[in-house]
């Protein structure tokens, strides 16, 4: 895990250096501010199952996020907050059976990210995040015993975004945890596929 963290830090630093090369120096620049509403519809977790004390992987659906952004020409910075779930169906159907035990994993996060076009409608995303992984286990055979555990992590945010137009885009985010506040060496990450709606509130030409 230590090697993987060093590797992610190296990749993060490299992409940041590459993304900031060749920025526009023209005087007639456009500036805008706005908000982005995001829907992390598909989520993939690498997390810790604290009932079995082992790493596990899980797909799930649904999430919601909001961001405030500031954009100047091709350069865009945004501050995002959001939450993701692990519902078993993309249309929100939930298994209500009450036998055996069930585990769930979700997350809440805040991140500061930098966006920049890469090629035509494709853009790159890079930044830093603070993510809480929320683990829960309900044991119906043990008088409805509930176990909850929240882990706070710091990590990187790397993504690719496709813009259909100025308003609607789809983005894939990879958020590896580079460190946690737990005394363990488990690897954690969140990968999400988001539908994003950008709403421009103010635009100024300088």
């Amino acid at each position: 895990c230590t090697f993987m963290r060093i590797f992610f830090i190296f990749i993060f630093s490299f992409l940041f250096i590459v993304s900031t090369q060749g920025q526009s120096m023209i005087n007639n620049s456009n500036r805008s501010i706005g908000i982005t509403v995001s829907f992390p519809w598909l989520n993939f977790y690498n997390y810790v199952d604290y009932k079995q004390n082992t790493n596990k992987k899980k797909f799930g659906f649904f999430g919601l996020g909001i961001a405030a952004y500031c954009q100047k020409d091709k350069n865009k910075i945004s501050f995002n907050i959001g939450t993701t779930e692990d519902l078993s169906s993309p249309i929100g159907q939930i298994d209500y059976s009450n036998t055996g035990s069930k585990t769930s994993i979700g997350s809440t996060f805040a991140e500061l990210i930098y966006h920049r076009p890469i090629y035509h409608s494709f853009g790159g995303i890079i930044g830093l995040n603070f993510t809480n992984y929320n683990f829960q286990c309900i044991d119906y055979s043990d008088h409805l015993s509930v176990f909850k555990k929240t882990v706070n992590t710091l990590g990187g945010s790397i993504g690719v975004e496709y813009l259909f137009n100025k308003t609607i885009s789809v983005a894939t985010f990879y958020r590896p945890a580079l460190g946690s506040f737990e005394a363990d060496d488990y690897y954690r990450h969140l990968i999400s596929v988001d539908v994003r709606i950008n709403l421009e509130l103010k635009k100024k030409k300088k």
Side-chain angles (χ1 to χ4, degrees):
C1 285
T2 300
F3 172 78
M4 294 184 70
R5 290 171 184 170
I6 295 173
F7 174 76
F8 288 134
I9 292 172
F10 172 78
I11 294 296
F12 178 84
S13 301
F14 174 77
L15 291 175
F16 180 79
I17 292 171
V18 170
S19 68
T20 55
Q21 299 302 306
Q23 295 185 8
S24 175
M25 298 299 292
I26 59 176
N27 293 324
N28 295 326
S29 60
N30 294 314
R31 295 189 182 190
S32 62
I33 59 173
I35 61 173
T36 299
V37 181
S38 61
F39 302 93
W41 202 244
L42 176 61
N43 307 302
F44 175 62
Y45 303 90
N46 190 313
Y47 69 102
V48 180
D49 185 326
Y50 284 96
K51 294 299 288 184
Q52 300 181 8
N53 289 319
T54 185
N55 261 124
K56 284 196 173 181
K57 299 177 176 65
K58 187 176 186 180
F59 278 101
F61 295 92
F62 194 67
L64 184 63
I66 191 167
Y69 73 81
C70 178
Q71 183 168 357
K72 180 180 179 182
D73 297 323
K74 295 181 178 181
N75 303 295
K76 178 180 176 182
I77 295 176
S78 66
F79 178 74
N80 305 258
I81 57 173
T83 182
T84 63
E85 301 293 339
D86 68 343
L87 299 185
S88 57
S89 169
I91 58 175
Q93 294 180 346
I94 302 174
D95 182 6
Y96 289 104
S97 62
N98 55 0
T99 59
S101 63
K102 291 183 175 63
T103 62
S104 64
I105 183 69
S107 76
T108 56
F109 61 86
E111 64 187 353
L112 183 66
I113 55 178
Y114 171 73
H115 311 246
R116 186 170 173 82
I118 297 176
Y119 181 75
H120 292 305
S121 296
F122 287 93
I125 298 171
I126 193 166
L128 295 170
N129 69 70
F130 178 84
T131 300
N132 294 330
Y133 289 89
N134 306 308
F135 173 80
Q136 177 174 281
C137 178
I138 301 177
D139 190 347
Y140 294 98
S141 62
D142 187 21
H143 304 289
L144 202 62
S145 173
V146 179
F147 175 85
K148 295 182 180 181
K149 175 76 172 181
T150 297
V151 177
N152 304 316
T153 67
L154 295 173
S157 299
I158 303 171
V160 177
E161 185 174 20
Y162 181 82
L163 287 80
F164 293 98
N165 50 50
K166 290 184 177 180
T167 303
I168 301 175
S169 65
V170 173
T172 300
F173 286 89
Y174 172 48
R175 300 181 177 97
L178 304 179
S180 75
F181 295 92
E182 295 291 310
D184 61 40
D185 200 31
Y186 287 113
Y187 170 67
R188 301 170 176 88
H189 75 223
L190 167 64
I191 298 175
S192 66
V193 179
D194 299 18
V195 176
R196 299 171 66 82
I197 301 174
N198 303 293
L199 304 173
E200 186 178 84
L201 301 180
K202 185 178 180 181
K203 187 173 183 178
K204 180 180 180 181
K205 188 171 183 179
K206 186 176 180 181

